[in-house]
Amino acid sequence: MSAYCSNSDLPAVAARLRAAKHLTIVSHAKPDGDAAGSVLALARALRSSGKRVDAFFSGVVDPNILALAQPGEVLLAPQTMPSAQSDLVVIVDTGAWSQLEPLQEYLRSMVGRIVGLDHHARGDAIADQRVVDCSMASATQLVVQLIDLLGVPLVVAGSPCKYSIAEALFVGLATDTGWFRFASADGRVFALASRLLECGVDKIALYQLLEENGRPVRLAAMARALSSLSYFLEGRIALMTVSFDDCQNSGAKSEDVGGLVNVPLTIGSIKMSVVLTEAEAGVTKASFRSKNNSEGVAEFDVNSFAARFGGGGHVLAAGAKFNMPLAEARAKLEHEFESLGAVTR
Ligand SMILES: [Mn+2]
């Protein structure tokens, strides 16, 4: 993989957006708050400056995330595919083929007409023009700069949208920082949060929608997952598994168990938490989380760890996908835990 970094800057990207008439905006599959917030904020800003914009969510979409959009405001891929007639595609909050599966063929057909805005450490050469800033806690911090360059206000008077551009930006900022708890929540994050709150963001409504609106099957699935808990490296690593049968029997979908991986980190001795989920037969997804030590250094760099399995993300939060059943993925993972023990103390 070649170095994944900026080859452009935001003013140059803004100029390219201004020149386009018909834009397509996409993000990673299974959009989280940052992916959805980035897509919605940018789409609304470009529409309000007179552009034709097709905004897409792809893969499995959590109904609470979908509720951030107005009915019909975003299209769902792969059920609907973007138009090849677009002048420009903007990819936000990812640059990795592995996260863009439902759109791969489309994106390959659009080579040379793709702009990327990302804050992840790893990615591929999909966008011919990209701005990658890993110092940003959320992609919406890049999107807001672009919107400012486009000269669009963060609250558009007379907009029919239930949530404003400012609220879409806030969702990305809040969710990617664990509602402002993570180490990534630095002064710039709070400065932007302050600006967005001044725009009238309803943070209570957003918190309730995204964090307090789960289904009861969530607790049933969590109980099963907790009963699968096992420890590695003298209790420093916690592993939970959600089997295909668990998913079938509990009726829980992947969006129902969001955040499960964070639960073991509430225990002092646990420095890394991993959840393996076989939501579809023969495909096992892994979520990795770590936390900082008292010096503010990651106990485990889960971005590099996930990269051993072809995944990635951030130092404290990453994911990977194994095209194999749960038991096989688990064996691979446990083998790598052993080598972690050898290199870290
Ligand atoms: Mn993000």
Side-chain angles (χ1 to χ4, degrees):
M1 199 185 302
S2 59
Y4 181 63
C5 49
S6 294
N7 62 5
S8 187
D9 57 26
L10 290 167
V13 169
R16 204 157 165 208
L17 298 189
R18 257 185 239 110
K21 289 190 175 70
H22 177 187
L23 298 102
T24 294
I25 306 178
V26 303
S27 185
H28 56 79
K30 200 184 164 203
D32 57 7
D34 196 26
S38 296
V39 167
L40 290 172
L42 191 55
R44 287 171 191 171
L46 287 165
R47 283 186 187 124
S48 85
S49 45
K51 310 288 183 188
R52 175 174 169 192
V53 179
D54 301 329
F56 279 84
F57 288 169
S58 67
V60 176
V61 183
D62 180 331
N64 293 332
I65 290 286
L66 192 57
L68 294 165
Q70 293 299 108
E73 188 183 11
V74 290
L75 300 166
L76 303 179
Q79 297 91 319
T80 303
M81 288 301 284
S83 164
Q85 308 303 317
S86 273
D87 305 320
L88 194 64
V89 179
V90 186
I91 306 176
V92 290
D93 197 34
T94 186
W97 283 122
S98 61
Q99 293 198 295
L100 289 159
E101 244 169 24
L103 296 162
Q104 274 208 25
E105 208 177 311
Y106 172 73
L107 292 172
R108 291 191 196 279
S109 77
M110 296 297 285
V111 166
R113 287 183 279 169
I114 306 179
V115 164
L117 279 187
D118 195 13
H119 70 128
H120 292 87
R122 284 167 202 275
D124 301 299
I126 302 175
D128 53 284
Q129 183 180 17
R130 60 182 177 268
V131 174
V132 181
D133 187 344
C134 301
S135 79
M136 293 293 172
S138 80
T140 56
Q141 286 177 284
L142 291 168
V143 172
V144 71
Q145 294 179 59
L146 210 45
I147 293 174
D148 287 342
L149 286 163
L150 294 169
V152 178
L154 301 186
V155 178
V156 176
S159 163
C161 297
K162 180 174 179 192
Y163 299 110
S164 64
I165 292 175
E167 282 168 327
L169 295 167
F170 187 87
V171 164
L173 192 67
T175 55
D176 261 20
T177 58
W179 295 87
F180 308 102
R181 286 177 295 116
F182 298 163
S184 60
D186 60 11
R188 294 174 303 176
V189 166
F190 282 94
L192 177 57
S194 169
R195 177 182 171 197
L196 297 175
L197 290 170
E198 292 293 324
C199 292
V201 163
D202 188 345
K203 65 175 179 153
I204 295 169
L206 294 172
Y207 188 82
Q208 286 181 343
L209 173 66
L210 297 171
E211 308 294 338
E212 296 179 337
N213 200 28
R215 304 191 300 157
V217 289
R218 174 177 172 82
L219 293 180
M222 284 179 98
R224 277 169 182 263
L226 283 168
S227 69
S228 76
L229 186 65
S230 45
Y231 294 97
F232 299 86
L233 296 196
E234 287 113 36
R236 296 168 63 228
I237 298 178
L239 171 66
M240 290 190 286
T241 55
V242 182
S243 69
F244 184 63
D245 283 348
D246 286 341
C247 294
Q248 300 288 91
N249 295 340
S250 65
K253 298 183 180 159
S254 60
E255 66 260 27
D256 291 312
V257 290
L260 176 62
V261 66
N262 297 312
V263 174
L265 293 182
T266 58
I267 305 309
S269 53
I270 298 176
K271 310 302 184 189
M272 174 163 125
S273 169
V274 184
V275 175
L276 288 176
T277 308
E278 188 180 4
E280 63 181 287
V283 180
T284 303
K285 291 189 176 161
S287 290
F288 303 93
R289 295 290 184 277
S290 184
K291 57 188 178 188
N292 283 319
N293 64 18
S294 54
E295 274 95 58
V297 178
E299 296 275 5
F300 290 95
D301 176 351
V302 294
N303 178 45
S304 326
F305 189 66
R308 297 188 192 190
F309 313 103
H314 304 283
V315 173
L316 296 178
K321 184 175 156 188
F322 297 81
N323 288 310
M324 59 186 79
L326 178 67
E328 235 174 283
R330 180 181 182 136
K332 269 197 125 166
L333 198 63
E334 288 187 16
H335 181 77
E336 294 293 327
F337 286 157
E338 285 165 33
S339 75
L340 267 182
V343 286
T344 55
R345 290 185 281 259

